[in-house]
Amino acid sequence: MSYDKVEVPEDGEAITLADEETGELDVPENPIIPIIHGDGIGTDVGPAAQQVLDAAAEATGRSIAWMRVYAGASARDKYGENLPEDTVSAIREHRVAIKGPLTTPVGSGFRSLNVALRKTLDAYANVRPTYYLDGVPSPVKAPEKMDMVIFRENTEDVYAGIEWEAGTDEVETVRAFVEDEMGVDDVIHDGPVGIGIKPITEFGSKRLIREAFDYALENDRDSVTLVHKGNIMKFTEAAFRDWGYELAEEEYGDELITEDELWDEHDGDQPEGTVVVKDRIADNMLQQVLTRTDEYDVIATMNLNGDYFSDAAGAQIGGLGIAPGINRGHGRALAEPVHGSAPKYAGEDKVNPTAMILSGREMLDYLGWKDAADLVRDAVEETISSGKVTYDLHRQIDGGEKLATSEFADAIVENIEKLS
C-alpha cells in the first residue's frame, strides 16, 4: 500500500494476522511499527522511547522498522489536517503502533483526537498496568503493594459521546420524550438541562471482560474484579457485572471461580491454575485501592469508572508521568502514555519520558517479545533506583543526578546493555 502522508521505512516486514478467530499475530523479527511522536512534549519523549525500544529489540536479536506517521499539531503543520486518513490506514494495516500525547484543538471537529483514534481502530480495551518502580517517590507508605492491570472499556459509556446541550431544540425533544413518552416525572428540574446517554451493551461488556479474563489466565494472575455502580444503575452498570459472571460461566468452566465458590467449596484455598472473579462497587473500590491494595490484581470496568480508578491507582505509584497504557482490540494495539502534551515544556529536553517508554514496553509484550519487554522495565527501574532521574523526580528525592530527557534515555540504554 502506498502513502502520501507517512514516512515509509526502507526495510522491515508487516505484522499480519495469524488467526482471524483469536486475533493472534504473526510478528516478524523486524516489524514495521507506526509511531506518532505527539504534540508538545511528544517531540522529546517520542524519540527517547524509540531509542530505548530499539536498544531492547537489538539486545534480544530483533529490530524495529519505524514508520513515522502524523496526527495533531505535526499533521496540521505538514498536511493541514488533524488526523490524515493515511495515518489511520497505516496503523490499521500494520496492526501495532505507538503514539505520544495529542492535543485536540478547539473547533477541530473532534471531541478528542486520542479517543477518535481508539474508536476508529476499534481498540476497545484501554489497558493500564500500574506497578511500582523502586526509587520513584510515592505519596503512600507501601507503594510496592500496587501491581494491578486495569481493563477499561474504550467505546461505550461516556465515550459514546451521546449528549445534548442545554437550550437546544434537540435536548428539549429528548426531555419531552423522557417525560411524556417514558413517564419519568419529577426527576429533571425546571430550567436549562443538558442530557447524556450512557450505553452499556452486552457485546461491548463481554469483549472487554473477556480480554481481562484471558490476560489473567495467561499471566498467572489471581483475580479479576468487576468494578461497577450497579447498586444505583441497575440496568447498565449492574448489567456489566452480570454479563461478566455470565461470560465466566459460559466460556471458562473450571478456570474461573467466583468469590463465593472460593470460600464455600475451597475454604479460601484457591485451586492452582484458577482465577477468582469478584465484583466491587466503584466508590468503595476507590477506598479499597488504598486500604487493601494487594487484594486486587486485574480490574475490568466501564469507561468512566476506569478513568477515575486508573488515575487514582497511578497516583499511588508516583503519578501519571510514569504510567503506561495500551489500547487493544482484536489483533490490533495502540500503545500510548496517559499524560498530556504539556506544551510549555516542548523542546526543552527536560520532561520524564518514562510513561511513553513503559507504554512501549507494553507494546513489546503485545508483540510477544516478553524478554525485550522485561528488559525495558528492569533497565528503567535500575536507572531510577540509582538516582539518575529527570527534573520531576529529582526535586522529590535526596541527592541523585538530574538528567535531561535524552540523557535519561541514554542511561536506560546503558542499563539495557549491562542487563542483556
Side-chain angles (χ1 to χ4, degrees), residues 37 74 97 102 113-114 128 130 219 268 293 380 386:
H37 282 175
S74 62
L102 295 177
L113 284 171
N114 297 307
R128 296 271 294 270
T130 309
N219 291 276
T293 309
V380 169
S386 71

Side-chain angles (χ1 to χ4, degrees), residues 389-416:
V389 294
T390 48
Y391 85 99
D392 56 318
L393 299 184
H394 185 263
R395 63 189 179 185
Q396 302 179 63
I397 63 175
D398 295 327
E401 181 181 355
K402 183 168 68 172
L403 302 179
T405 307
S406 55
E407 293 172 332
F408 183 67
D410 289 341
I412 295 172
V413 169
E414 288 179 14
N415 280 319
I416 286 175

Side-chain angles (χ1 to χ4, degrees), residues 303-342:
N303 187 271
L304 187 57
N305 291 335
D307 205 4
Y308 297 149
F309 187 77
S310 55
D311 279 15
Q316 291 184 223
I317 50 92
L320 299 186
I322 60 168
I326 187 169
N327 304 286
R328 295 166 36 162
H330 188 70
R332 187 168 284 117
L334 176 65
E336 62 176 349
V338 174
H339 60 67
S341 58

Side-chain angles (χ1 to χ4, degrees), residues 132-133 135-144 314-319 393 396:
Y132 180 66
L133 296 173
V136 175
S138 167
V140 298
K141 291 181 179 179
E144 67 278 359
Q316 291 184 223
I317 50 92
L393 299 184
Q396 302 179 63

Side-chain angles (χ1 to χ4, degrees), residues 184-329:
V184 180
D185 297 324
D186 301 322
V187 172
I188 302 174
H189 297 299
D190 292 337
V193 59
I195 297 177
I197 294 177
K198 56 172 292 172
I200 305 294
T201 68
E202 179 182 9
F203 172 78
S205 298
K206 284 188 173 180
R207 69 175 181 174
L208 180 279
I209 296 168
R210 187 180 291 110
E211 286 274 338
F213 287 164
D214 289 346
Y215 179 92
L217 288 165
E218 290 165 7
N219 291 276
D220 298 321
R221 295 281 184 159
D222 289 333
S223 67
V224 174
T225 304
L226 308 172
V227 177
H228 60 93
K229 190 64 178 170
N231 58 327
I232 301 298
M233 307 202 75
K234 301 184 183 302
F235 306 128
T236 50
E237 304 222 0
F240 176 89
R241 174 202 61 202
D242 294 345
W243 285 324
Y245 283 119
E246 185 179 285
L247 178 70
E249 184 177 356
E250 290 176 347
E251 296 188 12
Y252 291 88
D254 294 337
E255 290 181 300
L256 302 183
I257 61 173
T258 66
E259 201 168 23
D260 287 343
E261 289 170 340
L262 173 65
W263 291 100
D264 294 345
E265 300 177 15
H266 304 285
D267 295 324
D269 186 14
Q270 185 171 346
E272 186 175 350
T274 65
V275 170
V276 176
V277 181
K278 49 192 175 182
D279 73 276
R280 296 291 185 271
I281 301 298
D283 51 327
N284 178 255
M285 191 63 184
L286 285 171
Q287 174 180 255
Q288 296 207 29
V289 73
L290 278 169
T291 60
R292 299 185 178 186
T293 309
D294 54 0
E295 292 184 14
Y296 297 97
D297 204 340
V298 176
I299 309 298
T301 188
M302 289 148 287
N303 187 271
L304 187 57
N305 291 335
D307 205 4
Y308 297 149
F309 187 77
S310 55
D311 279 15
Q316 291 184 223
I317 50 92
L320 299 186
I322 60 168
I326 187 169
N327 304 286
R328 295 166 36 162

Side-chain angles (χ1 to χ4, degrees), residues 118-131:
R118 297 172 196 165
K119 294 185 74 170
T120 300
L121 297 168
D122 198 27
Y124 53 82
N126 178 228
V127 184
R128 296 271 294 270
T130 309
Y131 49 83

